[in-house]
Amino acid sequence: MGFATPTMRLARAHYELVVAHCLDGLPDEACGLFAGPLAQNDDGGRGDGLSTEPTGEITAVYLTTNADASARTYTVDSRELIKAMRDAEKAGGALVGVFHSHTHTDAYPSSTDVRQATYPEWIYALVSLKHPEPVLRAYRIRDGEIAEVAVEITG
Amino acid sequence: MAVEVMLPTVLRPHVGGAASVEADGTTVREVFDNLVAAHPGLDGQLVGEDGGVHKFVNVYRDDEDIRYLEALDTKLSDGDVVSILPAVAGG
């Protein structure tokens, strides 16, 4: 793949919050946001000098409303999005990713996910509820390319 | 009337890589018109084909979503900050 991927490090308590939120959302897709620190002096190769690359560490999880209220699509509520972003900035970090559930398909980005992936620096996590045991996997999506990100559940 | 417009990573290439730009206008619509005139690459990225806020972006005046204000007719004052965030969405 043409871009480096950090390892996503998610505390067990956060992981459990994410999975519970996805189960609570059924039959609809559920979604939420991840915050964490940014790597210093890493502009993701754009050359603009702005640090935007996540280190992969997740320090906060925001459980958001799926404004689509749909089993097929999700949109993070716009007001919850900016509120989470400001909260993350206040804590000295940034929003670094998003998760959403796939209720009947695998934890892999759908063509809609790829088309609408507009945050190249973010980690896109998918939670599949297809099987009794939920499965979380994470990716980066850039220019239509998908690269899997390793996930480490800590603590 | 100058306001600051904060741009997301995906739109920065259209303004030479800047994270924010200044633009004139008394409404969001005027600011967007002036922005597109100065940075033609933004054409079609901010306003949708229906003439409203493009459905794939959220636009905020001082952190309030303008869809809950007066949409593109939302009034701006000197020093206001307009933030553009791509919608976080998928399927």
Side-chain angles (χ1 to χ4, degrees), chain A residues 6-75:
Chain A
T7 293
M8 180 182 183
R9 293 186 303 283
L10 187 62
R12 179 153 300 279
H14 284 153
Y15 169 78
E16 284 168 3
L17 273 179
V18 167
V19 169
H21 184 60
C22 291
L23 291 170
D24 281 350
L26 286 170
D28 290 343
E29 291 193 2
C31 55
L33 298 162
F34 295 120
L38 297 175
Q40 293 301 305
N41 305 315
D42 186 348
D43 66 7
R46 288 185 313 279
D48 57 21
L50 297 163
S51 295
T52 52
E53 289 295 290
T55 64
E57 186 192 348
I58 304 302
T59 50
V61 171
Y62 302 93
L63 308 177
T64 59
T65 305
N66 177 2
D68 294 349
S70 162
R72 293 174 166 275
T73 65
Y74 80 97
T75 300

Side-chain angles (χ1 to χ4, degrees), chain B residues 9-21:
Chain B
T9 314
V10 284
L11 294 181
R12 290 175 194 166
H14 301 301
V15 300
S20 72
V21 290

Side-chain angles (χ1 to χ4, degrees), chain A residues 29 33 46 48 50 52 72-79 81-82 85-86 98 100 102 110 112-113 116 118-122, chain B residues 6 8-10 12-13 16-19 55-56 58 60 62-65 67-68 81 83-91:
Chain A
E29 291 193 2
L33 298 162
R46 288 185 313 279
D48 57 21
L50 297 163
T52 52
R72 293 174 166 275
T73 65
Y74 80 97
T75 300
V76 172
D77 179 271
S78 65
R79 293 197 274 196
L81 169 64
I82 191 115
M85 178 169 285
R86 296 305 179 218
V98 58
H100 77 281
H102 279 176
S110 66
T112 307
D113 292 331
Q116 300 194 10
T118 43
Y119 291 81
E121 62 275 24
W122 278 17
Chain B
M6 308 292 295
T9 314
V10 284
R12 290 175 194 166
K55 68 179 203 162
F56 290 142
N58 300 314
Y60 305 87
D62 296 336
D63 290 0
E64 185 58 42
D65 186 337
R67 287 191 181 92
Y68 297 92
V81 176
S83 303
I84 300 168
L85 295 181
V88 180

